[in-house]
Amino acid sequence: MARHHHGYTWLGSGFELHRDGPRRDVHPEFRVSGVPPLEVAQWLLKPASFVQGTWVDPGEAARWYGSQARVHMEAFSSSYEREVLDSRISAVAVRLTGGEDVVGGWWLTGQRFLSVCLVACSPHRIRPGYPCPVPA
């Protein structure tokens, strides 16, 4: 498969996010934990069931990213994050075209955290040895 990006989301308690053990690839819970890994490229080491979508077209991936964030926008704990969301989303396709990962994270009301990530694959530019989680 040509260079592409996989999408990952996580919505959960900030308390879970602060437990960094399961976020490390050497931890026994790493592969089964949906909490975002400490290094974004390590999403590729998790089972394919965590992949929310795969895109070759950066524009389509950027639209998905925006839709995932906008669903929760009213719950953002920061009004500034609501104000800058559109400009943040508009930069996503450009970054993806360059083969970059895009990581979005927002604190929500109720001590929750939303993570929306697009991870480059085939190969990943920093971790080219990481396998693609989704067979071609």
Side-chain angles (χ1 to χ4, degrees):
M1 179 181 260
R3 182 172 60 185
H4 55 277
H5 286 81
H6 298 294
Y8 299 89
T9 60
W10 180 78
L11 173 62
S13 162
F15 299 110
E16 288 179 70
L17 188 68
H18 290 306
R19 288 184 53 229
D20 71 347
R23 299 180 68 198
R24 298 179 184 277
D25 65 334
V26 296
H27 194 277
E29 294 176 33
F30 174 79
R31 287 190 44 80
V32 298
S33 174
V35 178
L38 291 175
E39 180 183 324
V40 69
Q42 290 180 342
W43 272 118
L44 300 174
L45 301 176
K46 292 184 177 267
S49 60
F50 285 104
V51 175
Q52 300 291 309
T54 300
W55 301 270
V56 173
D57 177 34
E60 289 179 18
R63 283 188 287 284
W64 174 84
Y65 177 94
S67 71
Q68 298 304 303
R70 283 189 179 106
V71 166
H72 301 282
M73 185 173 75
E74 292 306 315
F76 287 4
S77 60
S78 163
S79 60
Y80 173 77
E81 290 293 342
R82 285 190 293 277
E83 292 167 15
V84 300
L85 183 63
D86 285 338
S87 63
R88 189 173 181 178
I89 290 169
S90 67
V92 170
V94 173
R95 291 179 54 203
L96 297 177
T97 300
E100 295 181 41
D101 300 325
V102 174
V103 177
W106 299 270
W107 283 102
L108 307 179
T109 56
Q111 299 179 350
R112 297 171 302 147
F113 190 83
L114 171 65
S115 172
V116 180
C117 299
L118 287 162
V119 183
C121 192
S122 290
H124 188 275
R125 54 189 229 162
I126 307 287
R127 302 289 187 188
Y130 284 3
C132 181
V134 179

